[in-house]
Amino acid sequence: MELFYHPLSRYSQKVLIALYEKQANFYPRVIELSDPFSRREFCHFYPPGKVPLLKSKTGVLIPESSIIIEYVDNEFSTGTTLLPKSPQIALDTRLQDRLIDNELSNRLLELEQQKLINSDKNQLLIKQLEKDIKRFLQYLDKQLDNSHWLCSDSLTLADCALFPCLHSAQTHFKLFEYDNLDRYWHQAQMRGAYQQVEEEVELAMGEALAGRRPIP
């Protein structure tokens, strides 16, 4: 398998965590979408030009982080089962995954972009985004009242989606104000799969700040 991704993309990080949890072998292909030549080459290969993208052993191209993770979970029996066998828990896992992507990851991206603009005109939008994200963090804190991980006592697809978001959210929000989420975040950082991804993120961020790698 080949994974086309960028280490600073949260959706790429989500897939990387899942692959490491599954102990799956894959060939990493970093795509610099901010570089015109790299983007053109990738779009020639895959016209939508979005990462992450998985190329299966049979050559099938599989886009979208959640779909990639479901494919990998079905393909590999090793490691962590990311889609629970219980239909009810599996349904909740898919629900939390979609909520995290839409209500947290995408809003964090918009918040980060708005803060880069640094204009008085967008301060109301920034405050609204912060309010929406805090509300969702409260929701997550409540979800963690009675479970070790987000959807059960075992790590799932939803946790793969949440880890990269919390890594970013800790820059803008005081996660320690949410008791359950704070406990969850500390245990997440002890997870080997997360630590592997964090190392790659820190390396890529260092290269970006030094000007050796563009930020997507």
Side-chain angles (χ1 to χ4, degrees):
M1 297 191 307
E2 297 176 66
L3 179 67
F4 300 84
Y5 74 104
H6 193 285
L8 298 183
S9 154
R10 274 191 291 271
Y11 287 113
S12 293
Q13 294 163 22
K14 171 181 169 180
V15 171
L16 286 171
I17 290 170
L19 286 167
Y20 293 144
E21 285 287 343
K22 294 301 295 182
Q23 303 170 16
N25 293 321
F26 66 97
Y27 189 87
R29 292 191 178 276
V30 175
I31 303 298
E32 301 287 0
L33 291 176
S34 298
D35 176 75
F37 177 77
S38 178
R39 175 182 285 275
R40 185 167 60 251
E41 288 289 302
F42 183 58
C43 287
H44 180 73
F45 170 72
Y46 179 63
K50 293 182 178 181
V51 295
L53 174 73
L54 186 73
K55 183 179 180 181
S56 73
K57 289 180 286 188
T58 59
V60 176
L61 298 182
I62 306 167
E64 299 298 332
S65 59
S66 299
I67 304 302
I68 292 172
I69 293 173
E70 284 218 36
Y71 170 82
V72 170
D73 196 48
N74 289 326
E75 190 74 9
F76 293 88
S77 59
T78 54
T80 307
T81 300
L82 299 174
L83 266 298
K85 301 304 181 186
S86 163
Q88 183 178 354
I89 300 176
L91 185 62
D92 184 48
T93 296
R94 290 185 175 94
L95 170 62
Q96 301 308 323
D97 169 66
R98 299 316 308 133
L99 290 174
I100 290 164
D101 282 357
N102 293 320
E103 302 298 327
L104 186 56
S105 187
N106 292 348
R107 291 185 187 234
L108 278 169
L109 177 59
E110 189 175 358
L111 178 64
E112 290 158 355
Q113 291 173 335
Q114 290 298 325
K115 287 194 171 186
L116 286 174
I117 296 173
N118 194 26
S119 167
D120 291 337
K121 295 179 180 180
N122 66 347
Q123 292 307 304
L124 284 177
L125 177 55
I126 287 175
K127 289 185 182 301
Q128 184 60 54
L129 286 168
E130 290 175 339
K131 182 178 179 181
D132 291 343
I133 292 170
K134 286 180 181 178
R135 186 185 299 116
F136 191 72
L137 292 175
Q138 290 171 348
Y139 164 81
L140 291 172
D141 192 60
K142 181 65 176 176
Q143 288 293 114
L144 288 162
D145 266 345
N146 300 307
S147 61
H148 188 67
W149 296 107
L150 189 58
C151 296
S152 69
D153 288 334
S154 298
L155 186 140
T156 67
L157 160 66
D159 300 295
C160 296
L162 185 52
F163 288 3
C165 293
L166 293 182
H167 178 87
S168 300
Q170 67 181 346
T171 305
H172 308 283
F173 302 93
K174 299 174 182 178
L175 297 183
F176 61 83
E177 294 181 344
Y178 309 89
D179 291 343
N180 294 325
L181 197 58
D182 184 53
R183 179 267 304 167
Y184 173 92
W185 178 225
H186 278 89
Q187 74 188 31
Q189 293 174 84
M190 299 296 292
R191 197 80 179 186
Y194 171 79
Q195 292 175 352
Q196 285 181 266
V197 174
E198 184 183 32
E199 287 178 8
E200 187 170 355
V201 169
E202 290 179 353
L203 178 62
M205 184 58 72
E207 292 178 347
L209 293 174
R212 293 193 296 270
R213 164 176 277 173
I215 297 178

